[in-house]
């Protein structure tokens, strides 16, 4: 089959189209993560003590991970049946509308218990949108890629994660620096949620200019379409679905431990001011962004599976050093810790999308890759910040590191036992 770029899709459109969507989606996703730590405990859960309020807020954060597989199944179905382009546009709009709505929600003081319930509903919508977005964006890139550069093409949508995080964290930092705490808590926190509508408009325009991928068009010509992709995956690709999910959990866990948990821990338990906590996080994300393309280059040379095995083994070792770094309020040690964690995150996240996509054939690839990725999100991230906070407060912060090491060992085993069949593109 033809492996060159579709003549209707320029390289610029393919790579920028896959990157812009995930950047917007992850920006929307992460402004919620920042607000869940810095704002929502006071505005939506004011009746509890600070620890309980934070846990309740993080519980709403986890809802999106529970709804992401639903988005994967729904959008994946139509992505495999109708096409990648239409589905990507619909997923982007679902995420965007949910995010903008959060910016207009009244707090608990205005409407009582209805406030956190509406917040949960919007968070559910964010998860559904992102569940459909990620898989389609990755396929847009790698189904247009030459065989020897799939990891390189596949890392462009992955770059949306650090860029989205930089934009969201930078926005919160700018707002907290430029207004009083009272104004920020009153209306300032709403600005990034509402302003995301501008990014959604840009993403919508770019996505509508992109045509279908060559792999999907060839699959349609060869009449390889299946009636219900989800059932086909469960029946014929159980090994890939189950062990692909467990292989990816460490990627999610290390990221949310390095962002949501660490930001909460250093600001609430180590006494670091919120501004410094955000600065540490933003600086470390630069290493995340740098090592995504580095990992893609290496993965195209030595193989995606081997690259991920090496990265996961390094994360398992890293877990033993949590107590050394997070038991101190030393800014240098905390920054070093965050940067090391994000380097490892870049190495595991860069080739992951390509690896998961290669586990499934074209006619169920959107559904299969999306479901695998987002089921891993439930196991690796949905409750990770809450579990980590509970472990740290009940026992010791070293147990959070052991939690990460245990997950990494599970992922390592999965990489070795997962099916090694690679499907055509």
């Amino acid at each position: 089959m033809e492996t060159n770029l579709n003549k209707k899709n320029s390289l610029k459109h393919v790579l920028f189209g896959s990157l812009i969507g995930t950047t917007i989606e992850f920006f929307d996703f992460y402004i919620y993560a920042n607000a869940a730590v810095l704002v929502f405990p006071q505005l939506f859960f004011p009746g509890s003590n600070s620890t309980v309020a934070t846990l309740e807020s993080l519980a709403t954060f986890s809802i999106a991970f529970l709804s992401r597989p639903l988005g994967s199944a729904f959008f994946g179905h139509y992505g495999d049946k109708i096409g990648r382009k239409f589905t990507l546009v619909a997923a982007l709009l679902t995420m965007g509308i949910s995010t903008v709505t959060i910016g207009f929600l009244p707090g608990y003081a205005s409407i009582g218990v209805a406030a956190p319930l509406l917040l949960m509903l919007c968070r559910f919508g964010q998860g559904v949108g992102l569940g459909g977005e990620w898989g389609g964006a990755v396929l847009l890139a790698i189904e247009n890629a030459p065989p020897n550069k799939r990891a390189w093409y596949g890392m462009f949508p992955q770059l949306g994660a650090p860029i989205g995080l930089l934009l969201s964290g930078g926005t919160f930092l700018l707002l907290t620096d430029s207004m009083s705490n009272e104004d920020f808590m009153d209306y300032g926190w709403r600005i990034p949620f509402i302003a995301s509508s501008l990014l959604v408009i840009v993403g919508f325009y770019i996505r509508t200019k992109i045509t279908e991928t060559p792999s999907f068009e060839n699959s349609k010509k060869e009449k390889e379409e299946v009636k219900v992709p989800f059932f086909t995956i469960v029946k014929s690709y159980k090994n890939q679905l189950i062990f692909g999910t467990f292989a990816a959990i460490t990627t999610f866990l290390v990221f949310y431990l390095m962002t949501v948990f660490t930001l909460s821990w250093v600001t609430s338990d180590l006494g670091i001011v919120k501004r410094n906590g955000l600065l540490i996080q933003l600086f470390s994300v630069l290493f995340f962004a740098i090592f995504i393309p580095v990992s893609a280059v290496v993965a195209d040379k030595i193989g995606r599976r081997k690259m991920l095995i090496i990265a996961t083994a390094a994360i398992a070792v890293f877990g033993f050093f949590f107590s050394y770094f997070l038991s101190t309020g030393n800014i240098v040690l905390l920054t070093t810790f965050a940067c090391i964690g994000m380097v490892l995150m870049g190495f595991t996240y860069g080739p992951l999308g390509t690896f998961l996509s290669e586990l499934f054939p074209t006619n169920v690839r959107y559904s299969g890759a999306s479901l695998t990725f987002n089921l891993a999100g439930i196991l690796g991230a949905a409750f990770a910040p809450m579990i980590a906070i509970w472990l740290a407060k009940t026992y010791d912060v070293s147990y959070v590191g052991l939690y990460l090491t245990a997950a990494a060992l599970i992922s390592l085993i999965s990489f070795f036992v997962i099916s090694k069949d690679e499907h055509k593109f």
Side-chain angles (χ1 to χ4, degrees), residues 268-412:
S268 64
D269 291 82
L270 296 183
I272 305 296
V273 297
K274 291 179 180 179
R275 184 180 188 279
N276 288 342
L278 283 170
L279 282 172
I280 291 172
Q281 184 179 92
L282 289 175
F283 181 69
S284 69
V285 171
L286 295 175
F287 290 83
F288 180 22
I290 290 169
F291 281 88
I292 285 178
V294 171
S295 70
V297 171
V298 177
D300 275 331
K301 290 183 177 180
I302 70 172
R304 271 69 80 180
R305 184 192 305 268
K306 186 179 293 186
M307 177 72 257
L308 288 166
I309 288 173
I310 293 171
T312 305
I315 291 170
V317 175
F318 177 64
F320 290 108
F321 293 91
F322 262 56
S323 181
Y324 173 76
F325 288 105
L326 288 182
S327 295
T328 174
N330 185 294
I331 293 293
V332 174
L333 285 177
L334 291 173
T335 304
T336 301
F337 168 78
C339 292
I340 294 173
M342 283 302 186
V343 168
L344 295 173
M345 180 62 197
F347 272 120
T348 185
Y349 193 63
L352 183 66
T354 305
F355 172 78
L356 295 180
S357 299
E358 289 174 337
L359 297 176
F360 302 94
T362 303
N363 58 351
V364 295
R365 185 173 292 133
Y366 199 134
S367 299
S370 296
L371 279 168
T372 303
F373 183 77
N374 290 302
L375 286 173
I378 293 180
L379 298 178
F383 303 103
M386 289 187 294
I387 293 172
I389 289 173
W390 178 80
L391 286 171
K393 290 183 177 294
T394 305
Y395 300 102
D396 182 78
V397 73
S398 63
Y399 282 80
V400 180
L402 294 177
Y403 172 37
L404 177 60
T405 298
L409 293 176
I410 292 173
S411 292
L412 278 174

Side-chain angles (χ1 to χ4, degrees), residues 133-155:
E133 160 67 28
W134 179 86
V138 170
L139 297 192
L140 176 63
I142 66 173
E143 287 187 349
N144 278 294
N148 63 333
K149 289 188 176 180
R150 281 198 202 122
W152 177 253
Y153 278 56
M155 71 87 186

Side-chain angles (χ1 to χ4, degrees), residues 40 63 100-101 103 116 146 153 186 198 204 312 335 398:
F40 293 162
I63 288 173
V100 173
T101 302
Y153 278 56
D186 182 33
L198 300 176
F204 177 82
T312 305
T335 304
S398 63

Side-chain angles (χ1 to χ4, degrees), residues 118-191:
L118 288 172
L119 182 66
M120 292 165 64
L121 180 62
C122 291
R123 183 60 174 168
F124 181 88
Q126 280 191 315
V128 171
L130 187 56
E133 160 67 28
W134 179 86
V138 170
L139 297 192
L140 176 63
I142 66 173
E143 287 187 349
N144 278 294
N148 63 333
K149 289 188 176 180
R150 281 198 202 122
W152 177 253
Y153 278 56
M155 71 87 186
F156 276 87
Q158 303 296 72
L159 275 176
I163 294 173
L165 184 54
L166 283 169
L167 290 174
S168 62
T171 301
F172 269 92
L173 185 63
L174 179 64
L175 291 171
T176 54
D177 277 354
S178 61
M179 60 178 58
S180 67
N181 186 63
E182 291 75 19
D183 287 342
F184 176 74
M185 296 299 291
D186 182 33
Y187 67 88
W189 69 269
R190 301 178 183 275
I191 294 174

